[in-house]
Amino acid sequence: MAPTQDALYADIDLALSWSERDLPERERTKHVHRLHPYLGKFIPQLVEVLLERYFRPGQHVLDPFAGSGTTLVQALESGLDATGVDVAAFNCLLMQVKTRAYNPFVVERELRAAHARVGELGGDRPSAYLRRWYAPQAARELLGFRSIVDDYEHSDVLRVVLARAARSARRTTHFDLDFPREPQLEPYWCHKHRRECRPVETSAQFLRRYTLDTLARLREFAHLRARGRTATVIHGDVREQELGRFDGVLTSPPYPGLIDYHEQHRYAYELLGLDDRREREVGAAAAGTSRPALAAYSDGIVAALVNAKHSLRRGAPVLIVANDRRDLYPEILERADLRLEERLRRHVNRRTGRRAGEFFEDVLIAR
Ligand SMILES: C[S@@+](CC[C@H](N)C(=O)[O-])C[C@H]1O[C@@H](n2cnc3c(N)ncnc32)[C@H](O)[C@@H]1O
């Protein structure tokens, strides 16, 4: 007889539902996980537990919706190789910068040299986007920094610093950094700081701070990652991507109608001239949650899982972290010919900002 939904729920709530005190912000954003903000990532400690439970050191894990690279970074920490696929170019840049093995002396020399040059002006004239979203001085400083990044071997690290500074230097309110709709041009009452705040005028302070912060985070991770293990990043649509051979999958797919993964880093696409493939995102917020949009979402996840499955040996674990409040996944798994073995429920209680609120997410264990 098939197990009932409830029987599939394993009673490991305590093990996966950390309180704020068990797992403070500092731990959840440790080392390279905080090289750049990213909305919609899963917490590293959840990935760590799942890798330990379902994989062995030396194995190779695939994340077909790799996002900011949490699976890849934790795999390197736990002694596994990892491959991550993502359709969004900025996410791939971020993953590459987080997971590359650096010569520490070269990174240190280059980041310190770039730090000393923050404030040098030059570069191109600001685009319409920059003129709208940045104060004139802030835009000049960002463009000045952009004009020096190619002078360095680790220009990609500097591109991520530039993007992070650009995020902070936008003319927006402090409480609406995720998806600001209109530039904030005047002083405003700030709910976050409970006082009057002003839109940012300059970006040099962010460029300096994040250059040094990035250096410290890369250094910290270099000490923690296992020797000889590597991460591979593939920029593409995972439904059509040719993949290698893997020992299992660990992923958190996009949820329908929740987040636009290109749009959340719009400033980076504008400044870095990255390839925009948003029309290939599965479940983009822009597509909404109408019945046809949900059907297209399910088709997209099924196609991704079927493709990923071809790269696995028989019986390999497929772990999916999902907030499946529409109960789409039982059918998705069935259509992908995956057998749901267990469902672990996790209490998520510390979302911040406008998306605050309590909710649960499931870890689906399929084979
Ligand atoms: C929920 S996020 C993954 C976050 C990740 N677990 C982390 O911790 O950063 C889902 C990701 O799927 C990516 N994505 C959406 N459609 C895709 C597609 N067709 N092929 C590959 N990646 C896609 C999005 O760009 C997004 O980064």
Side-chain angles (χ1 to χ4, degrees):
M1 201 174 70
T4 64
Q5 282 289 1
D6 281 350
L8 284 170
Y9 277 110
D11 185 21
I12 60 157
D13 192 49
L14 277 178
L16 296 181
S17 304
W18 295 273
S19 71
E20 182 66 35
R21 203 157 48 138
D22 299 334
L23 204 52
E25 158 98 21
R26 193 181 63 249
E27 287 296 315
R28 302 192 310 268
T29 56
K30 61 182 180 172
H31 54 72
V32 292
H33 290 298
R34 196 47 190 276
L35 280 196
H36 189 286
Y38 175 100
L39 205 62
K41 59 170 146 228
F42 46 24
I43 59 168
Q45 288 75 12
L46 174 63
V47 176
E48 193 179 340
V49 170
L50 295 173
L51 287 176
E52 261 168 38
R53 211 176 270 202
Y54 295 96
F55 291 83
R56 287 191 311 279
Q59 289 193 324
H60 195 150
V61 57
L62 169 69
D63 187 341
F65 296 106
S68 67
T70 313
T71 303
L72 275 60
V73 170
Q74 283 311 125
L76 294 177
E77 233 189 86
S78 297
L80 284 86
D81 291 321
T83 293
V85 186
D86 205 284
V87 75
F90 181 70
N91 302 351
C92 292
L93 171 70
L94 187 54
M95 282 193 266
Q96 262 149 359
V97 167
K98 286 179 177 182
T99 57
R100 195 176 292 142
Y102 298 96
N103 175 328
F105 302 106
V106 179
V107 183
E108 167 119 26
R109 189 181 67 230
E110 293 201 332
L111 290 192
R112 292 207 183 278
H115 180 264
R117 293 177 69 185
V118 169
E120 274 185 23
L121 302 181
D124 303 327
R125 289 161 62 83
S127 62
Y129 175 87
L130 287 185
R131 289 199 304 276
R132 178 166 148 78
W133 282 98
Y134 296 89
Q137 182 65 13
R140 277 196 289 273
E141 289 164 356
L142 292 172
L143 290 169
F145 196 79
R146 187 177 75 178
S147 72
I148 69 164
V149 299
D150 282 329
D151 296 348
Y152 300 96
E153 183 183 330
H154 295 306
S155 51
D156 277 354
V157 177
L158 296 174
R159 284 192 183 89
V160 169
V161 171
L162 175 63
R164 188 173 169 197
R167 181 180 191 275
S168 299
R170 284 170 303 171
R171 292 201 273 208
T172 171
T173 57
H174 289 135
F175 49 86
D176 203 12
L177 282 161
D178 290 340
F179 286 109
R181 277 170 232 287
E182 288 295 323
Q184 177 70 37
L185 303 178
E186 302 296 330
Y188 58 95
W189 175 253
C190 180
H191 305 292
K192 191 169 163 190
H193 299 115
R194 307 190 67 73
R195 61 178 156 81
E196 190 177 84
C197 286
R198 298 177 158 274
V200 174
E201 298 281 335
T202 59
S203 50
Q205 71 279 29
F206 298 118
L207 289 163
R208 288 197 187 92
R209 190 192 311 159
Y210 297 153
T211 305
L212 296 184
D213 183 67
T214 297
L215 177 58
R217 288 175 182 277
L218 291 179
R219 241 197 239 140
E220 195 185 334
F221 183 54
H223 291 300
L224 292 173
R225 61 186 289 162
R227 278 175 179 275
R229 306 268 61 114
T230 53
T232 306
V233 176
I234 300 174
H235 179 207
D237 183 335
V238 71
R239 291 170 291 187
E240 296 162 359
Q241 196 64 46
E242 223 176 280
L243 304 164
R245 298 300 297 167
F246 308 103
D247 297 297
V249 164
L250 170 51
T251 196
S252 66
Y255 308 145
L258 210 57
I259 297 176
D260 287 316
Y261 287 95
H262 283 77
E263 187 58 27
Q264 69 160 305
H265 302 127
R266 172 80 185 274
Y267 46 91
Y269 287 83
E270 295 280 349
L271 260 175
L272 302 175
L274 301 171
D275 181 16
D276 189 322
R277 300 189 195 167
R278 68 182 66 205
E279 76 291 345
R280 306 295 306 171
E281 276 181 36
V282 174
T289 54
S290 63
R291 202 191 278 249
L294 292 181
Y297 170 82
S298 291
D299 291 348
I301 301 289
V302 169
L305 291 177
V306 166
N307 193 26
K309 219 183 75 173
H310 288 141
S311 66
L312 302 178
R313 61 179 162 72
R314 254 186 104 71
V318 176
L319 314 184
I320 300 171
V321 179
N323 169 19
D324 188 19
R325 59 193 174 86
R326 293 190 176 82
D327 206 26
L328 300 174
Y329 274 79
E331 191 193 315
I332 287 175
L333 293 178
E334 200 176 315
R335 286 177 60 199
D337 202 15
L338 287 162
R339 188 172 46 82
L340 181 60
E341 191 176 280
E342 218 180 343
R343 229 176 146 119
L344 315 179
R345 175 144 282 202
R346 199 176 95 74
H347 182 202
V348 183
N349 62 358
R350 67 175 86 71
R351 293 288 155 126
T352 54
R354 285 190 299 149
R355 293 161 74 239
E358 299 222 336
F359 73 105
F360 291 87
E361 74 189 0
D362 284 346
V363 185
L364 310 173
I365 319 287
R367 304 233 180 221

